[in-house]
Amino acid sequence: MVYLTVMYQTDRDGMMLRTRAHHVAAAHERRVTLDCVEVDRTVHISGVDALPALMVDDKVVAEGRVPKLSEIEGFVSAALAEESELAKHGAKKEIWRADPKAMPHCGGCGRDCRLDEPECGVGVERAAKLGIPRAQ
């Protein structure tokens, strides 16, 4: 399984990258999983400094630009080939994937509040730095 992650804002470039990644993921149906993460503003998250950004597995392959469809296809094909080669040798690829349900906590106060529901000033500041929106 190859994981494609698109980090974007809802501007022209972000939506274009999201659409292109969706087309590539659809072409590889069960072998590619697509995650789209809408970010409210440009933040340093997962090693990304500029949006839109594209990650294949746990590697940032493009940031601050929209790769062509053929380029995205090349990234995915290379990742699938690497996975296939590892499978021939009985190995699995190890990728780091954050659990979206495991929300980071403040750690700066006695309450140790979740950063999507900060209860203190430190939590509010940390959430703002990480670009974590308030829970609805």
Side-chain angles (χ1 to χ4, degrees):
M1 179 69 61
V2 171
Y3 296 94
L4 260 181
T5 305
V6 176
M7 287 182 255
Y8 69 102
Q9 291 178 310
T10 55
D11 59 3
R12 182 178 160 270
D13 287 345
M15 299 308 286
M16 187 181 307
L17 178 58
R18 180 180 167 191
T19 300
R20 289 179 182 178
H22 180 72
H23 285 296
V24 171
H28 295 281
E29 251 179 81
R30 294 188 174 113
R31 299 176 67 198
V32 175
T33 296
L34 175 63
D35 294 323
C36 295
V37 180
E38 184 179 331
V39 180
D40 289 338
R41 59 192 170 102
T42 305
V43 294
H44 185 79
I45 184 169
S46 297
V48 172
D49 292 318
L51 296 176
L54 178 67
M55 294 176 69
V56 176
D57 290 335
D58 57 356
K59 299 174 192 92
V60 177
V61 295
E63 66 178 299
R65 68 183 184 89
V66 180
K68 294 181 178 180
L69 195 57
S70 60
E71 190 177 359
I72 298 170
E73 179 65 42
F75 294 141
V76 169
S77 295
L80 288 169
E82 176 186 344
E83 184 176 64
S84 178
E85 190 63 31
L86 286 171
K88 285 181 189 177
H89 300 291
K92 282 187 172 182
K93 69 178 171 185
E94 301 262 338
I95 59 171
W96 180 84
R97 298 218 7 108
D99 181 1
K101 294 178 183 169
M103 178 57 61
H105 287 252
C106 163
C109 67
R111 290 181 285 242
D112 195 30
C113 47
R114 289 170 36 125
L115 291 184
D116 63 341
E117 298 172 349
E119 298 175 21
C120 66
V122 174
V124 170
E125 287 177 23
R126 288 196 65 210
K129 282 182 184 175
L130 295 172
I132 298 173
R134 282 193 173 270
Q136 300 289 335

